[in-house]
Amino acid sequence: MSAPDGSPVGAERSIGQLFATATAEMSALVHDEIALAKAQLRQDVKRGATSGGLFTMAGLLLLFSLPMLNFALAYGIRTWSDWNLALCFLLSFLANCILAGLLAMIGAVFAKKAKKGRGPQKVAASMKETAGVLQKAKPHLRPALPEHRGPEAIEAVARSSS
């Protein structure tokens, strides 16, 4: 059995080996934090694109549906109520405005979520916190090995247990 760096279990590792392991793990941590930031940024961009798409749909719906929907709705209201045709056209226009307003409100909700999503800021704060902890960490001094526990004895024990 061996440790992650390939040295036998039970063997004392040198400061250089410990430093190399810590550096490799720190590098992996930084790469993972960057990947997390990219994923969160991708999600925020997706929400922003959804918001923009809904705002665009609301505008296009209001623009292109007005003539056809206004005529159909106005003549429908006129058939059911016998009201003045001008009032029927006004009511159909108001119905289109209400629908466009609902779509714009849904778009605003998505825009708030995209603005609120502070993915990269969370990752940056986490990385600063990790760096702060590592800067404060101090290695523990280890006492020298007794003569009967030299590297040869440790290697022999490590070989016999594997």
Side-chain angles (χ1 to χ4, degrees):
M1 180 177 260
S2 63
D5 64 352
S7 64
V9 173
E12 295 289 328
R13 296 190 296 172
S14 70
I15 297 294
Q17 290 172 328
L18 291 173
F19 186 74
T21 302
T23 303
E25 289 177 2
M26 181 60 136
S27 175
L29 177 64
V30 168
H31 287 296
D32 289 344
E33 298 259 357
I34 290 171
L36 176 62
K38 286 180 181 179
Q40 289 176 340
L41 186 60
R42 201 173 300 123
Q43 183 180 18
D44 290 345
V45 167
K46 187 176 179 181
R47 283 183 181 152
T50 302
S51 169
L54 286 172
F55 279 126
T56 302
M57 284 177 48
L60 288 175
L61 176 70
L62 187 60
L63 180 66
F64 292 126
S65 70
L66 285 179
M68 188 172 15
L69 290 178
N70 281 340
F71 279 104
L73 190 56
Y75 283 112
I77 293 171
R78 168 95 173 153
T79 302
W80 293 324
S81 66
D82 250 354
W83 289 346
N84 186 0
L85 195 56
L87 180 63
C88 296
F89 272 102
L90 181 62
L91 288 175
S92 67
F93 174 74
L94 289 176
N96 285 331
C97 288
I98 290 170
L99 183 60
L102 286 174
L103 287 174
M105 286 191 321
I106 293 171
V109 168
F110 276 102
K112 282 183 183 179
K113 284 184 180 180
K115 187 176 181 182
K116 204 179 216 182
R118 299 187 182 268
Q121 289 86 354
K122 289 179 191 175
V123 173
S126 173
M127 289 178 72
K128 286 179 184 177
E129 182 181 333
T130 302
V133 168
L134 289 175
Q135 285 176 350
K136 293 177 185 175
K138 296 181 181 172
H140 298 291
L141 295 177
R142 295 184 182 196
L145 292 174
E147 299 225 1
H148 65 280
R149 283 202 59 208
E152 298 84 19
I154 294 172
E155 189 175 311
V157 169
R159 271 189 268 142
S160 67
S161 64
S162 55

